Amino acid sequence: MGEKEKEDSSLLGKYCVDLDVPASIKSKALQLWKEVKDVSSEHDSGSVQALQWIPVVIYVAAIESSQPYGPEDPHSDKSSPCCSLGAILKASDLNFIKFSELMRQFRDRVDLSEVVRQHFSSVEKRYCIISPLFHRFDREWGTVFREEDQEQSVDETETVQDPKKLCWLLFLNAKDDILSGTEELIQTYHLLLCCLEFILRDSPAFLLHPPFDSLKLEHSAIGGSSPSLNFVQRLAEKFHTSLDELQAMQTTTQTYFESLKAANGNLDVTYLENQYLSRQKESGSLDELLYLQHEATLMPNNFQRVQSGSSTHNGLDTPVTPVRAAMNTVQQLKNLISTNTDHLQPLREHFQNCASNPERSITDRASQMKLKFLSHYLETSGNGQGAVAEQRYRQATNLYYRVMKRLLDIERERLAPLKDFSSLLNNDVFHRSLLACSTEIVLTTYNVSWSMTHSVLNSGDSKFHFPWVLDVFELYAFDFYKVLESYLKAEPNLTRDIIKHLTSIENRILDSVAWQSDSPVFDLLSRCGAMSSAYVSPCNDLISAENNNAAKAAEIYMSPSRGQATKGTNPGHIVIMSPRKGGVTGGVTMAYSKDSPETRAPDTPRRSHALTMFFNKVCRLGYHRLKTLADLLRITSETQQKIWTCFEFCIISRPELLKDRHLDQIMMCSVYGICKVSDCEIRFKDIVKEYSTMSHAMSDVYKQALLENGTHDSIISFYNRVFMQCMKNYILQFAKPVQPNLSPLPKPVNSSLNSSPVYSIPGRKNFYISPLKESPFKPPSSPSNMTPRSRKLYSFGELLGSAEKLKSINESMAAFKSRGNLPYVTTVRRTSSKRLSFDEMPSSDIINGNDITEQDVVVKKKRVTPPAVVSLSAPGQRNGDTDKESNSK
């Protein structure tokens, strides 16, 4: 052991002594420290100093020792960790945000036990809620309470507890008792406001700022002891939140608050503190009471502004904190939802045009789904959340009816004069998918929390996170996926965060969730005839426009029948075709017993739009990720196309390789296999290293690959024991002089799921750019289409002063013409600098299925410098450049 290593290990020993860590845990921590130190030296050439891992390994060892048999073992003798995470941070003088970053790096180097994973995930999620809430609480407290007058105003004989500490303790205990299963920032914020309201009611008026002091005096004058509605209303107004939601939370909390009162009718701060500290010691997490002391290990320094930068309120420019940003996100959702109580009224015109009016079945289904939603919601969050669950479902159904109306309007316009959508509106899977998507949007909007790594809001790993809605509405991911594209087209006003969230869901479905063994995709593939090997790569449009007819609008949402076709039926055939124009050549034909009201002749080939779109999107997503990985590995374009050919062959002709696996596992194996036979071998270690840097990558993809016997092992074991057993003969063809024909590369395709029409501008607060849906202005004609006269025309608005501006320009031009014979006039052409310059969006942003990271579009307005000289074209000369200059002015 070198001197530096001895020094670091002695520091670990010092921390263990300070924390009173048992010898067994110290030994475990030392073992972990040596392991991660060795891995780090190979992984990143020692960029992370060894001593930085010391707090991490002590934490991991302490948590693992508290639950030696795992978190799910019913016979586990669970005990409190020997030291809490808060104590470790304080002993090492390490901020939690930095510690969290180290934990993520540690997880990539050393396998974490499930106990540690669950514990740290819980701590991190709680921190991302409590920390921004304390920031808001601390900042706003002085606007409600007169802290500076407290000591001078209280009589020496009167004992008054510190109301700030009492309120914060009440909130921490209520969070554990009432919202233990909830990670909603908004709902927790409402709980904090209810705690503040409860403390307000029991505080003397002289401690309060207006208008709360006068409200307290009025309340005392009438001898009221019940909760004051005026307090709740004032708090809702002051903190710009929903009164209905705040009242719903107050209803939930009142009985709990009253139960905490001591015999004298007051809250006991000592009792509340002991109760909280007991829980904190048992959990081994952070001591959130230290927020009141502005403990450096807890205080974040980067949520002053999130995403939008700032907002303007009452003429003041204020930073957008996580709480404010979350409230804005909720308000944007509410702005979409109509306040009309009869949400079916706008839909009745469509219902009445159907051969069979579907209104009764739609409302009955919505009522049945409500019961399932409430049951699942209360089971997940706790029985005290009934009022909140009702609100969430009401918002989801409201959005569901709105999007249904817009979707039907689009279809009617597209398929005019068709008005009868009976087949679509009587499709149960379509309705449940549409309702599930609306529910996912509502839950995501309320489940946002602050992200430490990006200083933005995201939905995190909530208990309601996708695929929770699939279980509630009894849907397969493949069915849910089919409505996403249409949903975004029908509701283009969703926020950018929601669009990105739905994009991530689609990508998850395409890369893994839809490939689970119970997926309808395999149910459909199991009924194939002889699968064609002459497939055509999906390179062009997803679906040909010529096939847009009345039947297709409904058929895209049809699900394959579960199980085998009934005896005596003659199932039709589905052709999984390339979307190239020109017919069905090269399609993959499969038998298909469909849930369709239409009757067809037996063995009539027909096209599955949903399946065609699915395989196209899988291939496009796979290619985009492959291109990113190959570029990181510096693989030549020629070899990249060989890898893509192999990768696509696996997706189309060997889909069984994807069952219960991840698309990226097949991608990495394709890279390794083709490079190995192409004389440019790349180590699997390097492939995994570069893959782990990709934005969507998860360590489980390369650490937990399914093997043939149901066990899981590393990606290398999967390659040797499964992938090569299936693909060996095909891959070896690339080592022969005559190689297989290479697949063409997919082309970029615009999609509602991966492009947002709204762009923000850095440095400009609350400023966005979006294209007009129907612009009143026509684009200028190209110079080749202009006449000699039209090239000289100017276009001006109809605003006041336009005539004067034109006169000024004419006088300037005349003055320049009069100086045309002066010796200093040059013939060099000059282009105007008075233009708006838009940075080009990355081409990857328009690739379908892309993991989108939307880039801000920077708008630069260049300074205009009046030219000292200009050149004038000779009469009759083509003057396209000068026309462009003039029009830009």
Side-chain angles (χ1 to χ4, degrees):
M1 183 181 293
E3 292 298 326
K4 184 65 172 65
E5 188 174 354
K6 288 182 179 178
E7 181 181 346
D8 292 343
S9 62
S10 64
L11 182 61
L12 187 150
K14 178 181 180 302
Y15 285 162
C16 290
V17 170
D18 294 343
L19 294 166
D20 195 22
V21 171
S24 59
I25 296 180
K26 176 184 175 181
S27 176
K28 173 67 175 176
L30 183 61
Q31 178 185 348
L32 286 170
W33 176 73
K34 291 180 179 179
E35 182 180 350
V36 72
K37 182 175 66 68
D38 294 339
V39 173
S40 296
S41 62
E42 298 180 8
H43 191 275
D44 50 17
S45 302
S47 62
V48 179
Q49 296 182 5
L51 61 87
Q52 289 184 298
W53 299 119
I54 293 176
V56 174
V57 297
I58 294 176
Y59 164 74
V60 172
I63 299 302
E64 285 184 345
S65 300
S66 66
Q67 299 182 42
Y69 302 105
E72 306 301 330
D73 190 340
H75 303 292
S76 173
D77 183 19
K78 298 181 181 179
S79 59
S80 301
C82 62
C83 58
S84 69
L85 176 56
I88 295 173
L89 295 179
K90 201 164 185 179
S92 58
D93 194 24
L94 185 64
N95 185 274
F96 178 75
I97 295 178
K98 177 62 178 177
F99 180 84
S100 181
E101 179 184 342
L102 289 172
M103 278 296 296
R104 284 189 288 273
Q105 296 175 11
F106 185 87
R107 180 184 58 200
D108 292 337
R109 292 160 171 78
V110 179
D111 288 333
L112 288 178
S113 65
E114 192 62 26
V115 171
V116 177
R117 283 173 179 263
Q118 288 188 14
H119 186 272
F120 187 73
S121 175
S122 175
V123 172
E124 196 171 41
K125 283 188 288 187
R126 184 177 174 103
Y127 179 84
C128 287
I129 293 176
I130 300 296
S131 186
L133 285 179
F134 176 79
H135 174 78
R136 183 66 181 267
F137 172 77
D138 193 46
R139 181 164 55 90
E140 297 289 350
W141 179 264
T143 67
V144 178
F145 280 83
R146 299 178 183 269
E147 294 179 289
E148 68 278 4
D149 297 335
Q150 178 176 333
E151 294 182 0
Q152 302 175 3
S153 304
V154 179
D155 186 82
E156 293 182 357
T157 60
E158 184 178 358
T159 302
V160 177
Q161 299 179 112
D162 178 6
K164 187 174 184 179
K165 182 177 182 180
L166 185 62
C167 183
W168 187 245
L169 273 169
L170 179 62
F171 165 68
L172 293 178
N173 282 285
K175 175 73 173 71
D176 290 330
D177 291 331
I178 299 177
L179 299 182
S180 58
T182 303
E183 293 88 27
E184 286 188 15
L185 181 61
I186 297 296
Q187 194 174 354
T188 312
Y189 178 53
H190 289 153
L191 175 63
L192 178 58
L193 293 181
C194 287
C195 294
L196 180 59
E197 190 273 339
F198 191 74
I199 299 299
L200 275 173
R201 280 191 270 138
D202 289 338
S203 299
F206 60 80
L207 289 182
L208 307 178
H209 278 298
F212 301 104
D213 54 353
S214 58
L215 288 176
K216 176 64 178 179
L217 291 173
E218 293 173 6
H219 190 61
S220 301
I222 61 176
S225 58
S226 60
S228 171
L229 180 61
N230 289 334
F231 273 134
V232 179
Q233 288 176 330
R234 290 292 186 177
L235 286 173
E237 293 170 4
K238 176 177 176 54
F239 294 101
H240 314 293
T241 190
S242 168
L243 177 60
D244 292 341
E245 293 182 4
L246 192 57
Q247 286 178 317
M249 178 55 70
Q250 188 189 42
T251 302
T252 303
T253 59
Q254 288 312 303
T255 302
Y256 170 78
F257 289 163
E258 293 294 335
S259 68
L260 295 177
K261 287 186 175 181
N264 61 0
N266 297 322
L267 293 174
D268 185 348
V269 67
T270 304
Y271 167 77
L272 292 177
E273 184 172 2
N274 290 336
Q275 187 178 31
Y276 169 75
L277 290 176
S278 175
R279 287 175 174 169
Q280 188 268 334
K281 181 180 179 181
E282 182 180 347
S283 66
S285 57
L286 302 173
D287 184 356
E288 294 152 339
L289 269 180
L290 295 178
Y291 277 112
L292 293 169
Q293 302 174 20
H294 297 90
E295 169 63 41
T297 60
L298 296 178
M299 301 305 292
N301 55 8
N302 61 340
F303 65 49
Q304 296 294 327
R305 294 177 181 270
V306 288
Q307 200 164 14
S308 300
S310 64
S311 65
T312 301
H313 180 67
N314 293 333
L316 299 176
D317 190 31
T318 58
V320 178
T321 61
V323 177
R324 182 71 264 156
M327 299 297 293
N328 291 343
T329 302
V330 170
Q331 189 57 49
Q332 288 173 342
L333 172 66
K334 291 182 177 180
N335 291 341
L336 292 179
I337 301 176
S338 170
T339 56
N340 183 11
T341 55
D342 188 2
H343 305 300
L344 289 172
Q345 182 57 39
L347 283 161
R348 289 199 172 99
E349 179 184 355
H350 288 293
F351 294 164
Q352 291 167 1
N353 289 329
C354 294
S356 174
N357 192 314
E359 180 173 348
R360 179 65 180 274
S361 64
I362 289 174
T363 55
D364 288 347
R365 182 186 297 104
S367 298
Q368 294 170 4
M369 292 298 104
K370 178 180 180 179
L371 297 177
K372 293 186 177 182
F373 174 83
L374 295 179
S375 174
H376 280 74
Y377 193 98
L378 295 179
E379 181 181 349
T380 303
S381 64
N383 292 327
Q385 298 295 301
V388 175
E390 291 269 359
Q391 286 182 335
R392 299 290 185 270
Y393 189 78
R394 185 163 57 250
Q395 290 173 311
T397 52
N398 198 329
L399 188 59
Y400 158 67
Y401 289 130
R402 170 189 166 90
V403 173
M404 189 196 309
K405 167 67 164 55
R406 295 173 70 96
L407 192 149
L408 292 174
D409 289 344
I410 292 173
E411 287 296 295
R412 181 172 59 184
E413 180 179 353
R414 186 176 69 88
L415 303 174
L418 179 71
K419 295 183 178 180
D420 186 352
F421 294 106
S422 299
S423 58
L424 181 63
L425 291 176
N426 286 289
N427 188 312
D428 178 64
V429 173
F430 163 72
H431 284 289
R432 284 189 287 120
S433 299
L434 202 65
L435 182 55
C437 191
S438 300
T439 305
E440 177 68 24
I441 290 171
V442 171
L443 293 177
T444 299
T445 300
Y446 279 91
N447 274 307
V448 293
S449 61
W450 176 55
S451 168
M452 292 180 295
T453 54
H454 304 294
S455 295
V456 296
L457 296 177
N458 60 16
S459 56
D461 189 21
S462 164
K463 293 183 179 180
F464 300 104
H465 199 56
F466 185 85
W468 185 83
V469 292
L470 299 186
D471 294 331
V472 175
F473 297 100
E474 298 178 349
L475 284 167
Y476 287 103
F478 180 69
D479 294 329
F480 181 84
Y481 137 85
K482 288 184 283 187
V483 305
L484 291 177
E485 190 82 25
S486 299
Y487 200 105
L488 266 291
K489 290 178 180 177
E491 187 49 87
N493 296 320
L494 293 172
T495 65
R496 185 170 62 174
D497 288 335
I498 292 297
I499 293 174
K500 292 170 67 174
H501 177 70
L502 294 181
T503 303
S504 68
I505 286 179
E506 184 188 56
N507 290 343
R508 284 186 60 195
I509 292 173
L510 295 173
D511 67 25
S512 56
V513 183
W515 297 108
Q516 293 174 358
S517 55
D518 64 343
S519 171
V521 172
F522 292 105
D523 187 44
L524 192 60
L525 291 174
S526 65
R527 304 171 194 180
C528 298
M531 182 175 288
S532 171
S533 60
Y535 65 91
V536 182
S537 178
C539 302
N540 296 319
D541 300 333
L542 289 177
I543 296 181
S544 302
E546 63 215 23
N547 289 295
N548 287 334
N549 54 47
K552 306 306 180 189
E555 288 174 2
I556 194 172
Y557 302 108
M558 295 296 181
S559 293
S561 298
R562 316 302 183 202
Q564 299 297 323
T566 56
K567 184 176 181 180
T569 60
N570 291 311
H573 288 82
I574 279 187
V575 181
I576 304 180
M577 299 165 41
S578 165
R580 291 182 174 184
K581 295 180 181 178
V584 299
T585 305
V588 180
T589 305
M590 291 176 285
Y592 177 52
S593 176
K594 60 187 179 67
D595 299 331
S596 176
E598 304 170 14
T599 57
R600 290 182 178 270
D603 300 325
T604 302
R606 58 182 297 271
R607 192 174 188 177
S608 168
H609 284 252
L611 207 56
T612 300
M613 289 179 65
F614 176 76
F615 275 98
N616 270 270
K617 288 192 173 185
V618 169
C619 288
R620 293 180 193 279
L621 175 64
Y623 173 72
H624 169 68
R625 292 182 177 178
L626 172 61
K627 183 71 170 65
T628 303
L629 178 61
D631 288 345
L632 290 171
L633 293 166
R634 299 181 179 179
I635 298 174
T636 64
S637 57
E638 179 183 358
T639 305
Q640 284 187 31
Q641 193 163 10
K642 292 180 182 179
I643 298 171
W644 164 240
T645 302
C646 174
F647 188 19
E648 185 195 46
F649 179 83
C650 291
I651 297 171
I652 301 297
S653 298
R654 299 290 186 270
E656 66 276 5
L657 279 174
L658 280 160
K659 182 176 288 188
D660 289 326
R661 298 189 178 99
H662 198 287
L663 182 67
D664 292 355
Q665 294 169 342
I666 308 301
M667 174 186 69
M668 287 187 280
C669 289
S670 298
V671 170
Y672 181 79
I674 295 298
C675 287
K676 192 174 182 67
V677 299
S678 300
D679 296 327
C680 58
E681 185 173 355
I682 299 176
R683 296 185 304 171
F684 231 126
K685 182 178 181 179
D686 295 328
I687 295 174
V688 169
K689 178 181 177 181
E690 296 300 338
Y691 171 79
S692 65
T693 66
M694 296 172 66
S695 60
H696 72 283
M698 297 182 296
S699 59
D700 284 350
V701 173
Y702 51 84
K703 289 183 177 180
Q704 298 292 325
L706 176 67
L707 304 184
E708 75 283 354
N709 56 1
T711 61
H712 291 78
D713 207 335
S714 70
I715 185 71
I716 299 177
S717 296
F718 168 69
Y719 175 86
N720 291 326
R721 297 168 59 179
V722 180
F723 183 84
M724 276 306 293
Q725 303 303 317
C726 180
M727 293 293 296
K728 181 177 181 180
N729 293 335
Y730 181 80
I731 289 178
L732 288 177
Q733 295 181 50
F734 289 90
K736 298 178 181 179
V738 180
Q739 298 183 2
N741 293 330
L742 299 182
S743 298
L745 305 179
K747 297 178 181 178
V749 173
N750 271 324
S751 170
S752 300
L753 280 172
N754 63 11
S755 60
S756 172
V758 180
Y759 307 103
S760 63
I761 303 176
R764 297 295 301 274
K765 299 163 182 176
N766 288 338
F767 192 92
Y768 299 90
I769 292 179
S770 63
L772 291 173
K773 293 183 179 178
E774 296 180 1
S775 175
F777 306 104
K778 295 182 179 180
S781 301
S782 63
S784 61
N785 293 331
M786 290 182 177
T787 64
R789 170 174 171 75
S790 66
R791 284 201 293 268
K792 300 178 182 178
L793 297 180
Y794 294 91
S795 176
F796 294 88
E798 298 180 357
L799 299 176
L800 294 176
S802 294
E804 288 77 6
K805 292 177 183 177
L806 177 58
K807 180 180 179 181
S808 175
I809 292 176
N810 287 336
E811 290 175 350
S812 299
M813 293 299 294
F816 279 119
K817 287 181 180 180
S818 67
R819 299 162 58 192
N821 295 325
L822 295 178
Y824 54 77
V825 176
T826 180
T827 58
V828 177
R829 291 186 178 181
R830 195 177 170 88
T831 57
S832 171
S833 62
K834 189 177 182 181
R835 297 180 183 230
L836 292 178
S837 174
F838 292 83
D839 288 353
E840 185 180 15
M841 290 292 289
S843 59
S844 62
D845 280 359
I846 61 173
I847 295 179
N848 188 59
N850 178 358
D851 293 325
I852 297 301
T853 303
E854 296 203 24
Q855 304 294 329
D856 291 324
V857 177
V858 181
V859 179
K860 300 177 181 178
K861 194 169 185 179
K862 298 181 179 179
R863 179 176 297 176
V864 180
T865 304
V869 291
V870 296
S871 63
L872 299 176
S873 301
Q877 181 180 351
R878 294 182 62 86
N879 198 19
D881 290 341
T882 54
D883 286 331
K884 291 179 182 178
E885 174 184 345
S886 302
N887 286 330
S888 69
K889 294 180 180 178

